[in-house]
Amino acid sequence: MKCTFTLNGKETTVEAGETTSLVRVLRDACGLVETREGCGEGQCGACLVFVDGNLVNSCLIPLFRVQGAEVDTIEGLRDRRLFTELQAAFDAKRVFECGFCSGGVLMAAYSLLLHARAPSDEAIRDALSGNRCKCGTYPAIFEAVQSVVATRRRRARRRG
Amino acid sequence: MVSTYRFVDDLSFKNMLVAATVRSRVPHGRIISLDGSAAEQHGVCITRSDIPGRDTIGTAGAEIPVLAGTTVCYVGEPVALVAAPASLVREAAEAVAVVYEDLPACADPDDAQDDLVAHQRRGEPEAAFHDAGGVVEAEYQVAACDLSGATPTAALARWDGKTLTLNVATSHPFRVRDLVASVLAVAPPRVRVIAARSSGSCAGGTATTLAAIHVALLAWRTGKPVKLRYEPTEQAESRPVSHPCRIACATALGNAGVVLAQKVEVVTDGGARRGGSGGFLERIVAAGMRGRQCVDITARLRLTNRIPSGESEAWKDVEIAFATEVHATELARSAGVDPYTWRRGTLAAPTDTRGRAVLDRVVEISDFSRRFAAYEATRRRRGGSAGAGLPVQGIGISLWSVGHDSAAGPAAVKITMSRERRATVYSSVVQTGRGGQEMIRRTVAEVLGISLEQVKLAGADTAAVPDSGPTTEARTAAIIVPLISRCCRNLKRRLATASLPLSAQARKKAEPDTAGTATVAATVVRVRQDSVTGAVRCTGWWSVVDAGHVVDPEGARRLVVSAGHRAMERVLGEGMSFRDGRVIPHDRGANPCFAMADVCEAAVELVDGRNVGGAAPAGGVIAAVAAGLPPALASAAEQASMTFVRSMPIAHLPPGGREDRA
């Protein structure tokens, strides 16, 4: 099928099987390779993207479901301040080892901080519980997100 | 930065074909006919008879076929290969017609004959057992586990008529180069392997090597770039797994609980092909002999019709540690002393000084003795019944050491320094994570007196770097970093008399295991058991690791914490199961330790007790904790649940005290 949707702010048309998973379309047809395919079962979170503002596992979304939708991938967030803050915090904490899960983790953290100004530790853990890191870097991921939240709190206090 | 990560599946080329593997659908069978002519309408099809050179990999007696010949031995064994444009590749693979005659299949090592047996004996264990005041016997089991990383198995090849270029996530690019060359019947320099980023694990290597060979054959045949990537569902039946292992321990005790002798029998399932498993039997036996004066140990390898084990998967260090250390806790309980005191009292030379130091320190920082006594008191109050309202907690301890057997092979490195005093390190060490990179960069910066920013690591490309041997965590630290340090010192000496640019090389010959470089780790784990469901959760763990001089202590500590959580996953639920010879994928939803929400307090201390002048940097830091944490966790679960925990993963334990102790 031919499917037209808005990808990172630009109208995009692709041709693929209607049940082809969105992650394969993004990677193979659109060349956006930082959305990764891990388990293919919606359990590892490596393929997280926004569809109409909702964070979803793109391995579970068939192409026909995004007809007319707005799809945002990690490549589309590059210039956003919150994303660069998160990326800087993850780098400062030397979080990732192999980096395979990195895109999905950053997307989940971005989604959390987009909707919650200063989430609790529990909320951070909950928000990132759908992401699997085979290298086991969970404590460092947690610390990196916490550090962004702490920076936000400090900034808010300064503003009074 | 995150954006620089690139894996093989992220690469693509113009006019690239996509490959697919036709796999056996039966666990054991004879191939009656194999017809790929219909597939040729969509692309190309390769069977074993099309292979120009060697059609197996592995050593004599332990060969793994590149493609199955007359028989298949497991579900998922590669039978044929196809390459076609992406839109046609599935049709092409489905068009390959294979007819099998079913043969009897064996899915259980208990039903299989011994394929190989290794045995060693020291002292007179029979006499000791005859004279013993008591004998403690138990059998421990560790379930199958997929140890490989998260990255999908993938490889990409291009053939320009003279040279084949391969992008593949391998830990030993030169070995893959030589294997591909032998399969294509070309000279090794005509194959160039560029090691791609991989997901931090040496495991799954056999599948990756086969994928590299398969894609090379297809690129050579078609003359076009070809990419092979296993679908997530295909991963499960193509990646080697660490198969179940059963270890029976019997200990003869004398007066006052003194250990007189031990008998150990290890039964391990190698899967359908012996592969790398055979060579590990001797290592398993050697690990069992360590520190024991009177012992009889036998290791048996059995072959079943399951996916073969790879080399990494056949290394049963975690399994041996689990049995040895849980058994030690059981011995302590039978002797009526706490497990820390028991271990301290039975430590043997030469590890005793370092072992005692890390044991004492981990007990101190975890408050082990007080907590153990408190939990024991609670246990007594529960008195074998559920004990409503009482916290169900436990604490366990282990002591484990890891040597560096993989250090034996030769290695070479090269370093250049530009006029701008920028150093570039050329080695085939594969950059799987930050640990190895940091160690190398810091060493170069320190010895040459330059900043970290002035040190660059060249990619592991067989056309550009010398062969540094396989990349393993312990080998990089124990062999490659000292070699790079030597190379830098050589370069620095020449700097005094020569002008830049300069380059230097260093080589190491093949030699026996580097004795005395073992890493010793003591680990304490605290758990809480849900008194209703019986689920065990880790609430904190502490490790004190003596790994000698550590180049990047903060980085190493982080890696150990990550490794500890990975180990926790394995012991708390990442089991694999098989049905009709097929792998049943993990039930990830049921795994209590996959998620961020389950991360608990962890403290890791690194100490240097080697007293060898700081010459050797750390190695095996991760492995020592990864192997030591599961038995400590199991022992903690035993205290909480009042049930001996003798198998891993701990799928289910009855809520504390509801079942009699086994």
Side-chain angles (χ1 to χ4, degrees):
Chain A
M1 73 174 284
K2 267 192 179 172
C3 180
T4 302
F5 56 97
T6 306
L7 179 58
N8 295 330
K10 286 182 187 162
E11 190 175 282
T12 304
T13 300
V14 295
E15 194 165 356
E18 59 182 17
T19 56
T20 307
S21 66
L22 179 57
V23 62
R24 288 318 315 171
V25 171
L26 292 171
R27 293 180 59 83
D28 299 338
C30 307
L32 299 177
V33 295
E34 289 190 37
T35 300
R36 309 207 189 275
E37 186 175 27
C39 65
E41 299 169 347
Q43 292 178 347
C44 74
C47 64
L48 287 174
V49 299
F50 289 105
V51 174
D52 291 333
N54 299 311
L55 195 63
V56 297
N57 287 300
S58 58
C59 67
L60 298 180
I61 305 290
L63 179 61
F64 73 85
R65 289 282 301 277
V66 298
Q67 177 74 43
E70 281 191 23
V71 177
D72 290 292
T73 69
I74 189 167
E75 286 91 345
L77 305 182
R78 280 275 137 68
D79 301 329
R80 300 193 191 173
R81 185 178 164 188
L82 171 57
F83 186 81
T84 51
E85 276 180 11
L86 270 168
Q87 209 173 21
F90 275 70
D91 264 3
K93 297 275 177 191
R94 297 163 65 184
V95 171
F96 295 119
E97 284 305 313
C98 80
F100 188 78
C101 69
S102 59
V105 168
L106 283 163
M107 290 294 278
Y110 181 88
S111 176
L112 169 72
L113 298 183
L114 199 62
H115 297 108
R117 187 86 212 136
S120 64
D121 288 355
E122 202 52 40
I124 296 172
R125 288 182 197 279
D126 279 352
L128 291 160
S129 282
N131 291 83
R132 187 175 183 215
C133 171
K134 188 93 187 194
C135 303
T137 63
Y138 301 113
I141 293 171
F142 180 69
E143 282 175 29
V145 179
Q146 256 187 334
S147 74
V148 176
V149 173
T151 307
R152 278 180 157 196
R153 285 203 179 108
R154 277 197 301 276
R155 244 189 252 143
R157 271 200 299 274
R158 275 204 299 272
R159 283 196 208 110
Chain B
M1 295 293 280
V2 173
S3 59
T4 61
Y5 295 142
R6 282 287 179 271
F7 298 86
V8 175
D9 189 30
D10 300 343
L11 307 173
S12 58
F13 290 91
K14 205 177 165 188
N15 297 324
M16 190 173 80
L17 299 176
V18 174
T21 312
V22 178
R23 298 179 181 280
S24 164
R25 299 288 104 207
V26 299
H28 193 199
R30 187 173 292 116
I31 298 176
I32 303 294
S33 68
L34 173 54
D35 182 3
S37 57
E40 297 272 359
Q41 291 171 9
H42 307 290
V44 298
C45 177
I46 287 179
T47 62
R48 188 163 178 166
S49 59
D50 297 317
I51 298 172
R54 270 192 71 183
D55 54 12
T56 59
I57 60 172
T59 52
E63 296 94 344
I64 294 176
V66 170
L67 290 169
T70 53
T71 56
V72 287
C73 294
Y74 62 97
V75 172
E77 180 157 17
V79 172
L81 306 166
V82 295
S87 57
L88 298 173
V89 70
R90 190 169 290 182
E91 277 179 73
E94 286 169 0
V96 177
V98 193
V99 179
Y100 301 99
E101 179 196 349
D102 281 337
L103 295 172
C106 173
D108 190 333
D110 282 344
D111 299 333
Q113 302 281 319
D114 288 342
D115 178 59
L116 281 176
V117 178
H119 176 247
Q120 275 197 49
R121 182 189 174 91
R122 186 183 293 145
E124 295 295 336
E126 291 301 340
F129 270 85
H130 185 262
D131 299 339
V135 173
V136 175
E137 286 180 289
E139 190 173 280
Y140 305 91
Q141 292 193 52
V142 176
C145 181
D146 177 3
L147 302 174
S148 51
T151 332
T153 301
L156 196 156
R158 290 157 281 157
W159 170 251
D160 64 7
K162 289 180 182 169
T163 306
L164 185 115
T165 305
L166 252 174
N167 296 82
V168 60
T170 173
S171 61
H172 196 174
F174 279 91
R175 179 167 174 264
V176 171
R177 181 196 71 167
D178 294 348
L179 285 171
V180 168
S182 69
V183 171
L184 294 182
V186 298
R190 291 180 68 191
V191 177
R192 176 186 178 192
V193 175
I194 303 170
R197 193 170 186 88
S198 71
S199 177
S201 169
C202 307
T206 309
T208 308
T209 303
L210 274 179
I213 292 170
H214 290 167
V215 80
L217 280 164
L218 289 164
W220 163 80
R221 173 80 175 269
T222 61
K224 291 183 177 174
V226 182
K227 181 152 92 174
L228 177 61
R229 179 185 60 83
Y230 294 166
E231 296 292 330
T233 46
E234 191 180 6
Q235 293 276 85
E237 59 182 27
S238 62
R239 273 185 167 170
V241 301
S242 175
H243 280 292
C245 183
R246 199 178 63 225
I247 300 169
C249 298
T251 302
L253 297 170
N255 293 333
V258 173
V259 174
L260 300 177
Q262 288 187 303
K263 286 185 191 173
V264 182
E265 186 187 50
V266 182
V267 177
T268 181
D269 175 1
R273 309 274 184 195
R274 190 187 294 168
S277 303
F280 281 83
L281 278 197
E282 297 296 337
R283 283 182 65 166
I284 290 171
V285 170
M289 297 292 287
R290 209 157 47 207
R292 288 171 173 161
Q293 301 307 313
C294 186
V295 61
D296 185 304
I297 177 163
T298 306
R300 303 177 191 282
L301 173 70
R302 292 180 180 163
L303 298 186
T304 57
N305 293 105
R306 293 170 167 179
I307 302 170
S309 269
E311 287 179 5
S312 300
E313 293 81 4
W315 184 30
K316 296 294 180 188
D317 198 46
V318 169
E319 287 82 348
I320 301 289
F322 182 78
T324 307
E325 286 298 289
V326 174
H327 192 63
T329 298
E330 293 197 26
L331 291 173
R333 196 165 278 290
S334 77
V337 295
D338 77 76
Y340 158 63
T341 308
W342 169 265
R343 278 175 177 78
R344 210 175 185 286
T346 55
L347 276 175
T351 57
D352 55 358
T353 313
R354 297 170 69 206
R356 275 182 196 150
V358 292
L359 258 182
D360 291 350
R361 181 64 186 151
V362 83
V363 161
E364 186 185 341
I365 64 173
S366 63
D367 198 10
F368 178 85
S369 298
R370 186 192 63 78
R371 282 179 162 141
F372 183 85
Y375 300 158
E376 280 297 287
T378 307
R379 243 171 97 113
R380 281 193 293 273
R381 291 212 301 280
R382 289 211 309 262
S385 63
L390 290 174
V392 187
Q393 295 187 91
I395 194 162
I397 191 167
S398 74
L399 178 68
W400 196 244
S401 68
V402 171
H404 301 148
D405 295 0
S406 60
V413 297
K414 180 180 142 188
I415 297 173
T416 62
M417 199 168 191
S418 70
R419 284 194 182 85
E420 295 76 29
R421 294 182 63 78
R422 291 189 174 276
T424 305
V425 182
Y426 296 86
S427 83
S428 63
V429 169
V430 176
Q431 309 307 325
T432 52
R434 293 192 182 193
Q437 294 177 45
E438 281 294 311
M439 268 192 294
I440 292 171
R441 290 179 68 229
R442 280 170 191 259
T443 301
V444 173
E446 197 176 303
V447 178
L448 292 179
I450 56 179
S451 70
L452 277 177
E453 288 70 35
Q454 288 173 284
V455 184
K456 185 181 144 198
L457 307 186
D461 175 347
T462 56
V465 301
D467 186 356
S468 313
T471 303
T472 65
E473 64 189 49
R475 195 173 188 280
T476 301
I479 298 300
I480 303 302
V481 170
L483 201 60
I484 284 171
S485 180
R486 201 174 90 202
C487 194
C488 288
R489 288 196 301 274
N490 177 15
L491 196 64
K492 199 175 179 183
R493 272 196 301 275
R494 290 172 54 205
L495 272 174
T497 53
S499 57
L500 291 171
L502 278 176
S503 74
Q505 291 201 30
R507 287 180 188 281
K508 167 198 164 293
K509 289 179 186 165
E511 58 197 7
D513 188 14
T514 48
T517 59
T519 293
V520 188
T523 301
V524 166
V525 178
R526 189 159 57 108
V527 302
R528 177 181 285 270
Q529 189 189 26
D530 188 303
S531 58
V532 177
T533 65
V536 173
R537 285 185 65 155
C538 181
T539 53
W541 62 276
W542 301 259
S543 272
V544 177
V545 190
D546 179 354
H549 171 61
V550 178
V551 176
D552 174 19
E554 185 47 38
R557 253 192 301 275
R558 279 187 180 281
L559 289 175
V560 172
V561 171
S562 297
H565 284 103
R566 279 206 308 272
M568 221 182 290
E569 273 191 7
R570 189 169 177 194
V571 72
L572 283 179
E574 195 178 344
M576 295 184 87
S577 51
F578 294 83
R579 193 183 303 140
D580 304 329
R582 290 167 192 266
V583 175
I584 308 299
H586 309 148
D587 181 0
R588 294 190 177 94
N591 190 310
C593 212
F594 264 96
M596 171 72 80
D598 298 292
V599 170
C600 59
E601 175 195 354
V604 172
E605 278 192 16
L606 301 173
V607 296
D608 181 0
R610 271 191 201 147
N611 199 22
V612 289
V621 187
I622 294 171
V625 175
L629 191 139
L633 203 162
S635 300
E638 184 268 338
Q639 191 182 36
S641 67
M642 304 170 72
T643 306
F644 279 130
V645 178
R646 289 172 174 151
S647 63
M648 180 173 120
I650 305 172
H652 173 76
L653 281 178
R658 287 196 189 161
E659 284 180 15
D660 290 335
R661 295 167 60 90

